[in-house]
Amino acid sequence: MDILSIIVPCYNEEEMLPITFESLRNKLSDLISKGKISPDSFLLFVDDGSKDKTWELIENENKIHKEVRGLKLAGNVGHQFALTAGLNFAKDICDMSISIDADLQDDIEVFDEMVDLYHEGNDIVYGVRNKRKTDTFFKRFTAQSFYKLMNFFGAKTIYNHADFRLMSKRALEQFYKYKEENLYIRGIVPLIGYKTACVYYDRKVRVAGESKYPLKKMLALAIEGITSFSVKPIRYIILLGVISVFLSMAALIYALISFIFLTVEPGWTSLIVSIWFLGGVQLISIGLIGEYIGKIYMEVKGRPRYNIDKYIE
Ligand code: UDP
Ligand code: MG
C-alpha cells in the first residue's frame, strides 16, 4: 500500500501545534483504517528556524507518537524554502505527499478525496478554495489582485490555490529538479505537467497564533512570483519605448505646424522632438538589453526542459 507523508512547515507555531498534532494524527489514522494509505504513513513537521518552543513540541510529540517526524532547519529560510526542504526530503521515503500549513486553515477533510484522486491516477491534486468569506476584506482583496497580476505578467497559476496539494512520488522527483534560487512553488508545480485534478473546500480562520505572512512578506512573494516566471516586465519597457518614438513623430508634426503658423521660441522645435525621440530610443535599447538578461536569467535557472510521462515498448 502507498505511504502518505503530510508535510507541515512551521514557523513560531507553538500556540497552534498542539491542535495541529491532534487533528492531523486523527486524520492519518482515519485514512489508514479506511485502507486508503499504508500504516507506515507519517507526518513530517519542518521547523523553519522557529524562535519559540516549536521544535521542543515536535520532539515531544515524536517521542509519544511514532508517526510524527520532524525536520529542523538551521535557520529561518521562509515558507517556500521550508516547504521545499520537506518535499525534497520526503520524496525518497513516501509514495505521495500532502503539504499543508500548520494553522490548518485548509480543510483536512478533503485528504480523502485527494488520496482517492491519486489512486485514480492523478499525480498532482490541487486544493482550491471555494470562497474567501473568512478572510478579512484586506486579505481577500490583496490576494485576488495578486492572482490577477500574476496572470497578467504571464506566470500560470491555479486560481485560489495556495500550497495545499497532493503530489505523487514522481511529481516530487520532478519538482526536485527545479533547483532555482528564486522560488515560487505555485508557479513551478503546473510546469511539471502530469495528470492533475482539483478538490474544493472552504478556507477557515486561523484558530491560534497569528499570520506569519504580513503584507511585507506577501508583497515579496508577489514580486518573486512575477519576476521568477516571466520577462514580460522587460517587454513592457520596449513597448513604452516604441510608444515614445511614435509620440516623437506626433511631436514633430505638432512642432512643425507651430513653427510655421505660430511664433515659437527658436530651438523649441528641435528640442521637443529630440527629447521624445531619444527617450524612446533609450527605452527600446534598455528593453533590448533586458531581453538578453532575461534570457540569461531563465538559462541560469537550469530548469528541466521536459518531463517524460510514460514509456512503452
Ligand atoms: N511559515 C514558515 N516560515 C516562515 C513563515 C511562515 O514555515 O518564515 C509557515 C507557517 O508556520 C505556516 C505557513 O508557513 O505553516 C503559512 O503561514 P501563515 O499561515 O502565517 O500564512 P497565511 O495563511 O496568513 O498566508
Ligand atoms: Mg495561514
Side-chain angles (χ1 to χ4, degrees):
M1 207 175 297
D2 289 346
I3 298 177
L4 167 71
S5 66
I6 297 175
I7 296 161
V8 193
C10 310
Y11 178 60
N12 295 345
E13 295 284 5
E14 62 179 8
E15 284 160 77
M16 194 60 222
L17 276 183
I19 311 168
T20 308
F21 286 146
E22 212 195 316
S23 314
L24 285 180
R25 274 195 296 102
N26 290 339
K27 190 67 215 168
L28 197 73
S29 39
D30 176 40
L31 288 167
I32 293 172
S33 64
K34 282 179 188 157
K36 286 179 194 280
I37 53 171
S38 154
D40 295 327
S41 298
F42 58 93
L43 308 172
L44 180 63
F45 289 88
V46 183
D47 175 20
D48 183 16
S50 298
K51 292 179 188 72
D52 64 0
K53 291 211 175 61
T54 296
W55 181 247
E56 281 87 333
L57 289 173
I58 297 172
E59 272 184 325
N60 273 334
E61 194 71 6
N62 164 265
K63 278 180 202 138
I64 313 167
H65 301 283
K66 67 160 189 20
E67 72 271 33
V68 174
R69 303 188 190 179
L71 188 68
K72 185 174 165 38
L73 301 184
N76 181 245
V77 292
H79 176 229
Q80 296 288 295
F81 283 107
L83 179 55
T84 303
L87 293 171
N88 288 348
F89 191 83
K91 78 176 195 311
D92 301 320
I93 47 176
C94 71
D95 300 298
M96 63 181 130
S97 77
I98 294 179
S99 50
I100 186 164
D101 289 349
D103 54 14
L104 299 190
Q105 283 183 273
D106 307 306
D107 190 1
I108 61 171
E109 294 312 319
V110 301
F111 283 10
D112 293 83
E113 215 183 316
M114 285 179 155
V115 173
D116 290 344
L117 284 162
Y118 163 81
H119 286 303
E120 283 165 27
N122 291 288
D123 281 274
I124 297 160
V125 184
Y126 297 104
V128 178
R129 263 164 269 164
N130 272 330
K131 351 183 164 68
R132 284 177 165 266
K133 60 179 178 215
T134 51
D135 279 345
T136 59
F137 171 77
F138 180 69
K139 181 97 191 178
R140 206 160 56 209
F141 178 75
T142 48
Q144 237 131 42
S145 324
F146 170 67
Y147 286 109
K148 296 222 173 91
L149 202 69
M150 289 293 301
N151 281 331
F152 179 73
F153 281 114
K156 267 185 250 149
T157 46
I158 308 282
Y159 189 67
N160 264 347
H161 158 74
D163 287 306
F164 176 39
R165 74 178 79 79
L166 179 145
M167 286 169 87
S168 69
K169 190 190 192 76
R170 63 176 194 157
L172 290 173
E173 275 162 359
Q174 186 65 14
F175 174 71
Y176 178 69
K177 293 183 191 155
Y178 288 80
K179 307 251 182 212
E180 45 207 84
E181 196 61 39
N182 303 282
L183 182 67
Y184 184 66
I185 302 175
R186 263 171 260 181
I188 294 175
V189 176
L191 298 179
I192 294 177
Y194 291 129
K195 198 172 169 221
T196 62
C198 292
V199 295
Y200 298 88
Y201 66 98
D202 290 324
R203 196 164 204 239
K204 291 181 259 189
V205 285
R206 200 184 233 281
V207 286
E210 55 204 30
S211 172
K212 273 80 193 169
Y213 258 101
L215 184 63
K216 207 177 105 204
K217 275 197 189 170
M218 261 186 351
L219 277 178
L221 186 70
I223 293 171
E224 193 65 50
I226 293 163
T227 55
S228 71
F229 272 85
S230 102
V231 287
K232 269 203 183 174
I234 296 172
R235 303 248 156 86
Y236 289 119
I237 295 179
I238 300 190
L239 189 69
L240 208 64
V242 173
I243 292 171
S244 300
V245 170
F246 273 113
L247 282 177
S248 86
M249 307 290 174
L252 179 69
I253 295 163
Y254 173 70
L256 279 178
I257 292 169
S258 316
F259 181 72
I260 297 164
F261 297 107
L262 309 163
T263 44
V264 291
E265 294 290 324
W268 175 82
T269 316
S270 52
L271 261 182
I272 202 73
V273 174
S274 13
I275 285 174
W276 279 95
F277 183 72
L278 277 179
V281 169
Q282 278 166 352
L283 280 176
I284 293 175
S285 316
I286 293 171
L288 265 182
I289 295 169
E291 271 293 317
Y292 287 100
I293 294 179
K295 292 233 172 1
I296 297 169
Y297 178 58
M298 293 321 250
E299 202 74 38
V300 295
K301 274 182 182 287
R303 288 179 175 178
R305 282 173 295 177
Y306 50 83
N307 179 16
I308 295 167
D309 189 3
K310 284 188 187 110
Y311 169 60
I312 47 171
E313 56 176 8

